[in-house]
Amino acid sequence: MSSCSGDDAKSEQFEFLEFEKDVVLPSLNSGDITFLAIDFDDNLSNWDLKLTDDAGNVLPAILSSVQDTGFGYVDHAIQRIAFKAAPKNEGVYTLEIKNKTTNQIYIDHFLVRSKTFNKIEYPYTVDFSIISGLSVNETRPTADYIYFHNIKNTITSDLVTTGIAGIRLEDLTTLKEYNINYSINAETKKIEFSVPPGVPEGNYYLSVRYNNLTSAYFEKDILVQDEKVPMVASINKNTFKGKETMTLKGSNFRYKVDADLLPGSIFTTFKVSSSLIFVNSNGTGEVQLSTYDQDPSFKYMNAEGTEINFPIPGNTSEDDFFYSNDYPRTYFEGTVQVRTGPYLSKPIAIRIDYK
């Protein structure tokens, strides 16, 4: 983003966050394309828009509305901005936004493709969506998830599963392409895929390609991050009593995301959650280790993510529940693991005698 301003500037410098859909369908008639921003001047006459296709042709684009979303970061309200345009052909489109009073210019890109889909699921999704809710009159927006290396994702949208030539990622900036691993689940008949370590961290378009040269694109760009599996190198002992401290030492207990790849990172701090996972014959329990220093459990783990000191509860009453193998909760025998985002450390056998 480049910008400059004179002494007579009346508008603030705005912050572009993201297109609400990074891939849109061709449009024969002019319709709304929306993006999110902060400090965007709601005086529509103060803006010039220029929309070009990848052949350099200029298309009509008219700013139509600027509305607050009801969400924001402290004193910075998030706005939804809509402009009307009719991108009829597939391709890469460039939007240039210029403020007439400050001369600030912002340039970004979106794709037009003939088929899109919007539903992907995987366990322990890490969501960094800017808009976390919606009014009763709005359609639920497609979430922004982090897609980690070597984690299975399922496309739950209804896509044809025959004749697939491959699933591909395209770097948003360079458009360099990467083929990624996929399979068809025999039971659900849904497409499953994982991102291999050979794909660098970054933001990508995701598409399913078919042998007839058609393709279906996920309507949001996706953020890919490296695999960082938590490793427990040592535990202070394997048998504990209530009110003792369990100490785990190792690496990757906290996952730090490259903030430069996240929209709105200058206004907020984004962190991936960590947890202790307890498993016994009765099932699985989870104790979240907060990443925010105002929460009590933050002090259980050091900032470097190399040591956890967890105080084992001594009172196992209904008001201070803890995991156990029996009733009235006299002991726990099973395993403990560290979970960071979607990754789990290897299980360690432990026993806790509360009484």
Side-chain angles (χ1 to χ4, degrees):
M1 180 170 66
S2 60
S3 63
C4 60
S5 61
D7 294 336
D8 60 346
K10 296 180 180 178
S11 297
E12 295 185 69
Q13 301 293 298
F14 76 94
E15 177 77 13
F16 183 96
L17 298 176
E18 66 170 0
F19 285 107
E20 290 204 272
K21 293 183 179 180
D22 299 282
V23 185
V24 300
L25 297 170
S27 176
L28 295 177
N29 300 309
S30 185
D32 283 344
I33 298 175
T34 59
F35 60 89
L36 303 175
I38 287 172
D39 294 328
F40 198 92
D41 191 339
D42 59 8
N43 184 342
L44 302 187
S45 64
N46 282 345
W47 298 99
D48 279 332
L49 298 187
K50 182 181 178 181
L51 182 65
T52 55
D53 62 19
D54 47 15
N57 302 309
V58 178
L59 286 73
I62 300 173
L63 190 66
S64 57
S65 66
V66 179
Q67 298 177 334
D68 286 345
T69 63
F71 298 90
Y73 307 113
V74 190
D75 296 327
H76 298 274
I78 296 173
Q79 302 156 290
R80 176 177 286 108
I81 295 91
F83 65 95
K84 293 190 178 297
K88 298 180 177 63
N89 300 313
E90 290 195 3
V92 180
Y93 286 77
T94 300
L95 177 67
E96 180 180 301
I97 308 167
K98 180 179 179 180
N99 187 285
K100 297 177 183 177
T101 62
T102 66
N103 289 323
Q104 180 184 2
I105 296 174
Y106 181 81
I107 297 173
D108 214 319
H109 312 277
F110 63 91
L111 298 186
V112 173
R113 293 292 186 264
S114 294
K115 184 173 179 58
T116 63
F117 63 95
N118 63 359
K119 294 179 182 178
I120 300 178
E121 292 181 356
Y122 71 90
Y124 291 106
T125 55
V126 177
D127 189 342
F128 63 95
S129 299
I130 294 174
I131 301 298
S132 57
L134 52 140
S135 72
V136 293
N137 297 319
E138 290 183 301
T139 301
R140 183 171 185 82
T142 302
D144 287 302
Y145 292 141
I146 295 178
Y147 293 79
F148 296 92
H149 287 157
N150 291 330
I151 296 296
K152 184 175 69 176
N153 312 275
T154 302
I155 298 175
T156 56
S157 295
D158 291 328
L159 292 182
V160 175
T161 57
T162 57
I164 295 177
I167 297 183
R168 194 172 298 173
L169 294 177
E170 301 167 56
D171 186 285
L172 260 66
T173 304
T174 66
L175 295 183
K176 182 176 180 179
E177 297 183 344
Y178 299 86
N179 290 313
I180 62 175
N181 309 319
Y182 80 94
S183 61
I184 309 300
N185 186 294
E187 182 177 345
T188 66
K189 309 303 181 185
K190 296 296 184 181
I191 303 169
E192 298 174 343
F193 71 90
S194 62
V195 181
V199 178
E201 289 187 333
N203 296 95
Y204 295 86
Y205 299 114
L206 170 72
S207 61
V208 179
R209 308 294 179 96
Y210 293 90
N211 291 326
N212 61 2
L213 303 183
T214 63
S215 57
Y217 273 75
F218 190 53
E219 68 179 20
K220 301 287 297 221
D221 62 38
I222 72 169
L223 172 60
V224 171
Q225 290 285 275
D226 285 340
E227 179 181 66
K228 296 176 184 176
V229 178
M231 303 287 186
V232 178
S234 67
I235 185 171
N236 56 333
K237 55 183 181 177
N238 296 94
T239 301
F240 298 89
K241 293 183 179 180
K243 298 185 179 181
E244 290 187 330
T245 297
M246 179 176 66
T247 299
L248 303 172
K249 294 183 179 181
S251 59
N252 293 333
F253 294 168
R254 290 193 192 276
Y255 195 108
K256 296 182 180 178
V257 176
D258 183 353
D260 291 338
L261 298 173
L262 297 169
S265 60
I266 65 173
F267 299 105
T268 186
T269 301
F270 177 84
K271 297 181 179 180
V272 176
S273 66
S274 297
S275 302
L276 287 175
I277 306 297
F278 294 87
V279 180
N280 66 5
S281 56
N282 293 326
T284 300
E286 182 171 354
V287 176
Q288 191 162 51
L289 304 175
S290 178
T291 54
Y292 298 97
D293 56 10
Q294 66 269 30
D295 295 336
S297 67
F298 178 81
K299 64 181 181 293
Y300 297 163
M301 179 162 49
N302 64 354
E304 295 78 17
T306 59
E307 183 173 326
I308 297 170
N309 290 286
F310 179 68
I312 295 170
N315 183 350
T316 57
S317 68
E318 294 287 353
D319 296 330
D320 188 14
F321 173 77
F322 196 66
Y323 310 111
S324 63
N325 291 57
D326 65 340
Y327 189 84
R329 303 183 182 90
T330 62
Y331 77 100
F332 171 90
E333 188 166 19
T335 62
V336 64
Q337 295 167 274
V338 179
R339 183 176 69 79
T340 305
Y343 297 116
L344 271 173
S345 68
K346 292 181 178 179
I348 298 173
I350 63 168
R351 180 182 173 96
I352 303 170
D353 292 299
Y354 299 117
K355 303 294 185 181

